[in-house]
Amino acid sequence: MQFLLPSKLTSKHMNQFLALIRQHGISFALSIVIVMAALLHASQVLPLSFLNKLENYSYDLRLNLLMPRTLDSRIVIVNIDEKSLAEQGRWPWSRDKLAVMMDRLFDDYHINTLGFDVVFAEKDESSGLKNLQWMQQKYLQGDANFANALDLVKSKLDYDQIFADSLKNRKIVLGYYFQTRGDNNRIGQLPAEIFSADSFDSPTLGSAQATGYGANLAILQQSAYSAGHFNPEPDADGITRKVSVFVQYQQNYYESLALAVARAYLDNPVIEAKFAS
């Protein structure tokens, strides 16, 4: 902005000039404050809740206006709701019951791919097999009839093995989660990584960094087609608008459940990372 001053300044001219400086000086200072507030908010040094709400609202509005008709009839959510619990009993259901569900979905409904957003980290001992084996060791070691009877029913009472068998040769993707807040617990077995540590020249993809995980029993993971992590990142209003496609753990990268299910449906295409020059 340029100011043209008259050759002979009067007090009136000077007052007008000072008023103009004050006017634009306030605007300039206000602009600086707004820019600094935006930078502090973007860097999370000084998060401003009203800006987050405005950003979330504009994001939802853009999706509703620019992405109509995004429901895909090929995708079905099998929801374990109150009606399911009333008919089948409280959750978690025994794994032999889940095996029956796998048979129904694949053999009767002929689905192509199934993804679980449930983690099966602990053994299912609801059949009582463990108690029967304890009784044999404690009180009935010499009872041949009991030993023969136990051998006959053992396979029918090993619910984890029954469930694992129902996963085999089917496109079933298990779910698990990563811990990203300093907790280093390691439960269950992770699937194979999608990218190894030496896949890139860059030391990081800028993805979420995990310190631990909660995964599925090894017998289940080894029987499943694949697995993907579900680590939702809900906003302040409780709505999840983003999930990391990749999570880095010990220099390796693991895919999300959504990506793993999509790849399973597409017969497991290879994922490649391409970087801008």
Side-chain angles (χ1 to χ4, degrees), residues 204-222:
T204 179
L205 290 179
S207 57
Q209 304 281 323
T211 56
Y213 59 83
N216 298 278
L217 293 172
I219 188 176
L220 302 180
Q221 181 58 60
Q222 293 164 9

Side-chain angles (χ1 to χ4, degrees), residues 80 82-94 97 101:
I80 300 174
E82 293 299 327
K83 181 180 179 182
S84 305
L85 298 179
E87 292 182 359
Q88 301 295 329
R90 66 182 179 87
W91 183 264
W93 294 339
S94 60
K97 185 174 294 186
M101 182 188 294

Side-chain angles (χ1 to χ4, degrees), residues 251-262:
Q251 306 305 315
N252 293 325
Y253 298 89
Y254 297 85
E255 61 187 328
S256 67
L257 178 61
L259 179 58
V261 170

Side-chain angles (χ1 to χ4, degrees), residues 44 47 60 91 96 112 134 143 152 164 166-167 176 181 208 211 270 277:
Q44 295 299 306
D60 295 340
W91 183 264
D96 64 324
N112 180 282
W134 176 82
D143 192 324
L152 289 175
S166 73
L167 303 179
Y176 65 97
R181 304 187 187 280
T211 56
V270 177
S277 59

Side-chain angles (χ1 to χ4, degrees), residues 30-48 50-52 54-55:
L30 183 60
S31 300
I32 291 295
V33 169
I34 293 174
V35 171
M36 289 300 298
L39 290 175
L40 291 173
H41 171 75
S43 62
Q44 295 299 306
V45 174
L46 182 64
L48 302 175
F50 76 93
L51 286 181
N52 285 329
L54 182 61
E55 183 178 354

Side-chain angles (χ1 to χ4, degrees), residues 176-241:
Y176 65 97
Y177 63 90
F178 279 111
Q179 296 161 333
T180 57
R181 304 187 187 280
D183 198 339
N184 59 359
N185 291 329
R186 291 175 289 182
I187 301 171
Q189 179 177 320
L190 284 178
E193 68 273 9
I194 191 71
F195 296 124
S196 61
D198 56 357
S199 298
F200 315 107
D201 295 333
S202 173
T204 179
L205 290 179
S207 57
Q209 304 281 323
T211 56
Y213 59 83
N216 298 278
L217 293 172
I219 188 176
L220 302 180
Q221 181 58 60
Q222 293 164 9
S223 300
Y225 188 86
S226 63
H229 68 81
F230 51 92
N231 280 66
E233 302 168 25
D235 294 318
D237 56 5
I239 298 176
T240 298
R241 295 178 175 86

Side-chain angles (χ1 to χ4, degrees), residues 19-36:
L20 189 63
I21 291 296
R22 284 195 297 271
Q23 177 184 356
H24 288 283
I26 293 173
S27 300
F28 179 75
L30 183 60
S31 300
I32 291 295
V33 169
I34 293 174
V35 171
M36 289 300 298

